[in-house]
Amino acid sequence: MPKFELEEMTVTQVNHLPIIKAFAKKLQLVETINSIVASQMRVSVGHVLLAMVMDTLSGRSPLYRVSEFYQDKDTHLLLGEAIDPQAFRDHNLGRALDAVFKAGTVHVFGEIARMAQLHFDIDTHLLHHDTTSISVYGDYDSDDPSLLVTHGHSKDKRPDLKQFLVSMLCAEGNIPIFGKSEDGNKSDKTINNTLLTNVTKYMAKHKLGQDAFVYIADSAMVTQDNLNQFTGPNRFITRLPATYLECSRVIGEAVEADLWTEIGDINETQATRKRPAAIYRAHETSVELYGRTYRAVVYHSSAHDKRRHNRIDRAIAREKKELDKVCKKACATPFYCKADAQAAADRFRTMGEYHAIAAEIIEAPRFAKGRPKKEEPRTPLRIEYVLSLRIEEDKHKLERPRKEAGCFVMITNLSDDNEKQQYSSEIVLRMYKEQYGIEKNFGFLKDPVIINSIFLKKPERIEVLGLVLLISLLIWRLIERTLRRHVEQTQDELPGWDKRKTVRPTAFMMTTKFINILVVKAQRRRSLVRPLKPDQMAYIAALGLSPKIFTDP
C-alpha cells in the first residue's frame, strides 16, 4: 500500500452495514423509491430512506439525530453516493417523509415487496396476517388526520399513551409483503375485513404470486363478513374463538369420543428439561357458522394452556369458599324430620361443579332441661337430625374440564377430500404455528433498541415511519432467510453462539459476527484494517456476497 499523509486517511467502523446495503441494492431500494416519489430535494428521497433504514438496523432509534450518526461514516461506501451528513438534518428528513406520504406508503412498500419476490423467489401461497399497536408520545390532535393517533386497546399494556396500529401480511412465515399503518382505535376484525376485500387486487397489482392463496390469521378474523370473503378459490385457516358455542361443543364431543390422531412433537427448536416439547393430538369434525359448514380440527396439547388452568383453579377456589359458607350454615341448622334431612343431604351431594360433598345424617337427641332423677332412664323429648358435610375436589368432575383446557379449535375451508389429504390436521397445525413468525416480527418492530419513544410532529410522518420500519424488517428477514436456505441446501452449519455450530442462524446472530469491522480510506482507495475472520467469511459466503462489499461503494 503506498504511503499517504496521515491527514489523507480516514478510518470508519462499518460493522454489518455493508451487508444491509448489499441487500438493499438487490431490492433496488433507492431506484424503486425514486421512481415513485417525486421530489426536488438535492439528496434523493431513496437515499434518505436508505439512510434511515441503515440507522434503524444499526441498533439506534430512527429519526433521532441521523445526521450525527453519519458524521463519521463513509456515506459513499454505505449509501452508494458521497452525501454530506448535514443533508440528513431533521428538516430534510421531514420533507422526505412528506414526499413519501404523498406518493402513498402502501404503493411504495408494494413495489419494494415486488422486487423482493422477484429477486428472492418468495412463496406467496401461504399468507399470515396480524396487527400490533405502537405507542407514541404527544397529542397529535388535528381536524382531519390521515392516520388517527389515539387511545385504543393497547397491546403494549400502555393505555395511558396514544397509539397507532401496524397491519402486516407475511409470506413464508416471516417476510412482510404488505404493511399499513392503521388508526389507533381500529379493531382487528375491521382491519381483517378491509384487507380481505383488497388483498387479491393488491397482490395482482404488484405481481406477488398467484391469485389463489391460503390466508392464515388469528381468531379476530372470525366474523360473518370476513368469512363471506372466502367464496372463491382462496382458502383460510384460523382459530375459532372460545366465545362461540360451536367451539365448546366440538371440544366436548372430542373429549367424550376420545378418538384422537396422534401428531406428536412439531417443534423446530430442541426441547429442554425446563421447556419440554408439547405433544399434540387431533380430532377431525365440523362446525356450522352463519349458515355455512366448515372443517374443524380439535387439537389437544400436552402443554396445557396455563391461563385456562389458572382460570379453573380460581373457579375451584371460589366454589370451595362458597360451599364452605353454605355447608357451615347447613350443619348448624337442625332438621326435625329425617325425610327433610335426607332431602337436604341429597341436594348437597349434587351441588358442587368441581367438588364432591359427602353428606351424613346424624341423629341428635334433645332432652329436657335440668338433671334427671337418680336411677330414672333419660328419655329424649325429641330426635333432631343434623348434617355432617365434607367437601373434597372431585377428580372425576375435573378430569374433563382439565382435558378441555388443553384443547383449541382450528377452522378452515380446506375441506374437500383432496384438500384434506394435502392439508392433513398436522399440516394445518404446522401452518398456523408459523403465525409465531409474524409475532416475532412485531417484537422486532417494537424492540426498544430499534425504536424508542416515537415523537413526530405529524401523523402523516408517523405513517411513513411505519414504512421505514417495514422496509427494515423486510431486509432483516431476507438476510435470515438467505442464511437458513444456505444451511438447508449445503448441510453446512454456521458459527452460532458460544463457538457452537447452528442450523438456525438469525440476522441478529450475523450482526454479532461483524462487530468492530474497520475500513481505512486513503484518497479513493479502501481496504480493511484487519482481514475478515473465518467465521465472517462463512457468513459472507452463506449470504452469497463478496468481501468486496466492505471496500467497494
Side-chain angles (χ1 to χ4, degrees):
M1 183 176 177
K3 295 182 179 180
F4 296 98
E5 296 295 332
L6 188 61
E7 57 269 20
E8 294 179 345
M9 299 179 63
T10 58
V11 177
T12 303
Q13 184 173 339
V14 297
N15 297 342
H16 62 280
L17 292 181
I19 295 175
I20 305 298
K21 180 215 172 180
F23 272 74
K25 192 172 182 179
K26 288 184 178 183
L27 295 176
Q28 300 180 28
L29 181 66
V30 173
E31 296 81 359
T32 300
I33 294 173
N34 287 339
S35 67
I36 300 172
V37 182
S39 173
Q40 300 296 322
M41 294 175 59
R42 182 172 299 177
V43 57
S44 75
V45 175
H47 281 102
V48 171
L49 261 64
L50 175 60
M52 293 168 64
V53 167
M54 284 211 173
D55 188 24
T56 300
L57 295 179
S58 70
R60 299 179 67 254
S61 173
L63 297 185
Y64 182 65
R65 292 184 293 188
V66 176
S67 60
E68 292 186 17
F69 173 73
Y70 286 98
Q71 199 66 49
D72 58 350
K73 296 290 189 297
D74 186 343
T75 55
H76 191 195
L77 175 64
L78 298 182
L79 302 177
E81 280 191 15
I83 301 174
D84 186 348
Q86 293 304 309
F88 301 123
R89 289 176 297 182
D90 291 348
H91 175 69
N92 284 342
L93 293 181
R95 288 178 60 197
L97 295 178
D98 292 341
V100 174
F101 176 78
K102 288 181 180 178
T105 56
V106 173
H107 178 52
V108 171
F109 188 73
E111 289 301 316
I112 295 171
R114 183 176 69 83
M115 298 302 295
Q117 199 274 340
L118 181 65
H119 290 280
F120 291 89
D121 192 25
I122 300 171
D123 181 7
T124 56
H125 174 59
L126 302 179
L127 303 179
H128 291 259
H129 176 261
D130 207 348
T131 66
T132 192
S133 60
I134 297 182
S135 301
V136 299
Y137 290 80
D139 292 332
Y140 298 100
D141 294 327
S142 58
D143 296 333
D144 187 22
S146 61
L147 178 67
L148 182 60
V149 182
T150 185
H151 295 284
H153 174 67
S154 176
K155 299 181 182 181
D156 299 328
K157 302 190 184 301
R158 287 299 306 269
D160 56 311
L161 297 178
K162 291 185 176 182
Q163 65 181 25
F164 67 99
L165 303 179
V166 174
S167 172
M168 191 188 305
L169 194 66
C170 293
E172 288 195 30
N174 293 348
I175 301 174
I177 61 170
F178 170 85
K180 189 176 186 297
S181 298
E182 301 280 3
D183 295 345
N185 59 357
K186 205 167 188 179
S187 75
D188 286 0
K189 295 179 180 179
T190 303
I191 293 172
N192 262 290
N193 186 256
T194 303
L195 179 59
L196 286 171
T197 304
N198 299 297
V199 65
T200 303
K201 296 178 182 178
Y202 172 83
M203 294 183 68
K205 176 181 177 182
H206 296 287
K207 300 178 183 179
L208 292 172
Q210 299 176 352
D211 291 339
F213 56 83
V214 180
Y215 182 85
I216 305 171
D218 62 16
S219 58
M221 196 211 86
V222 184
T223 67
Q224 184 173 5
D225 290 341
N226 291 343
L227 293 176
N228 286 342
Q229 298 287 340
F230 293 95
T231 56
N234 297 321
R235 296 291 182 257
F236 73 86
I237 296 174
T238 187
R239 185 166 176 169
L240 182 63
T243 53
Y244 280 72
L245 292 178
E246 283 286 81
C247 183
S248 58
R249 178 185 68 81
V250 294
I251 287 178
E253 290 177 356
V255 171
E256 185 71 26
D258 198 25
L259 299 173
W260 301 93
T261 300
E262 298 295 334
I263 293 178
D265 170 19
I266 64 172
N267 285 1
E268 293 184 1
T269 56
Q270 187 174 1
T272 63
R273 183 174 59 85
K274 292 184 177 180
R275 298 191 66 180
I279 305 300
Y280 292 95
R281 300 184 294 169
H283 178 89
E284 288 272 354
T285 183
S286 62
V287 296
E288 185 175 335
L289 300 173
Y290 308 111
R292 287 195 178 98
T293 301
Y294 297 97
R295 176 188 174 193
V297 186
V298 181
Y299 294 97
H300 178 268
S301 168
S302 62
H304 296 297
D305 189 327
K306 292 184 178 179
R307 290 180 299 176
R308 293 184 182 176
H309 275 279
N310 289 338
R311 195 180 306 143
I312 292 175
D313 291 339
R314 289 194 298 269
I316 292 171
R318 186 165 55 249
E319 182 182 86
K320 177 67 164 56
K321 185 177 180 180
E322 293 173 356
L323 289 177
D324 280 338
K325 188 185 299 183
V326 173
C327 290
K328 184 177 181 181
K329 183 178 180 180
C331 290
T333 304
F335 292 87
Y336 301 103
C337 173
K338 188 173 184 179
D340 292 342
Q342 186 64 53
D346 292 341
R347 286 197 305 271
F348 275 101
R349 290 190 183 102
T350 59
M351 185 177 290
E353 182 180 357
Y354 303 111
H355 294 83
I357 301 178
E360 182 181 356
I361 301 173
I362 300 174
E363 292 185 358
R366 294 293 182 255
F367 298 92
K369 293 182 179 180
R371 182 180 298 178
K373 292 180 180 180
K374 192 174 182 180
E375 296 181 356
E376 283 188 6
R378 195 178 187 191
T379 304
L381 296 176
R382 64 183 182 275
I383 300 295
E384 295 179 355
Y385 303 91
V386 295
L387 298 179
S388 174
L389 304 173
R390 186 175 69 257
I391 305 170
E392 295 179 350
E393 283 190 18
D394 191 328
K395 294 183 179 179
H396 179 70
K397 290 181 179 179
L398 286 169
E399 182 180 3
R400 179 166 173 170
R402 291 212 180 270
K403 282 184 177 180
E404 291 183 358
C407 295
F408 59 94
V409 181
M410 305 295 302
I411 61 172
T412 177
N413 57 351
L414 294 163
S415 54
D416 64 33
D417 293 339
N418 291 333
E419 289 171 335
K420 284 184 177 180
Q421 186 173 2
Q422 182 179 358
Y423 299 95
S424 65
S425 56
E426 178 179 348
I427 297 299
V428 168
L429 179 61
R430 287 183 180 275
M431 290 165 65
Y432 184 76
K433 282 289 186 181
E434 290 181 7
Q435 188 78 356
Y436 174 67
I438 199 168
E439 297 291 343
K440 290 200 302 182
N441 285 348
F442 289 142
F444 172 92
L445 291 180
K446 299 198 285 191
D447 190 332
V449 175
I450 292 176
I451 176 170
N452 293 331
S453 305
I454 300 176
F455 189 90
L456 295 175
K457 292 181 179 180
K458 300 178 181 179
E460 293 82 0
R461 292 182 180 180
I462 283 187
E463 183 173 331
V464 184
L465 175 62
L467 169 66
V468 173
L469 295 177
L470 285 170
I471 296 172
S472 303
L473 175 61
L474 174 63
I475 293 174
W476 196 251
R477 292 303 178 217
L478 287 174
I479 290 173
E480 188 166 283
R481 175 181 181 268
T482 303
L483 291 172
R484 293 186 178 182
R485 279 206 165 185
H486 171 82
V487 172
E488 291 174 3
Q489 293 170 359
T490 64
Q491 298 299 308
D492 291 334
E493 299 179 349
L494 287 173
W497 307 118
D498 300 326
K499 298 182 180 180
R500 297 179 181 178
K501 296 286 187 177
T502 181
V503 296
R504 291 181 61 81
T506 66
F508 177 70
M509 188 182 292
M510 176 274 298
T511 65
T512 64
K513 306 301 180 184
F514 291 91
I515 296 175
N516 295 326
I517 298 293
L518 301 175
V519 175
V520 60
K521 178 184 178 183
Q523 294 182 351
R524 296 183 178 181
R525 298 178 60 185
R526 297 176 181 84
S527 61
L528 289 164
V529 172
R530 292 181 293 272
L532 294 175
K533 300 176 182 178
D535 285 2
Q536 295 167 337
M537 290 298 297
Y539 271 88
I540 291 296
L543 292 169
L545 302 175
S546 165
K548 291 184 178 181
I549 62 172
F550 293 96
T551 55
D552 292 353

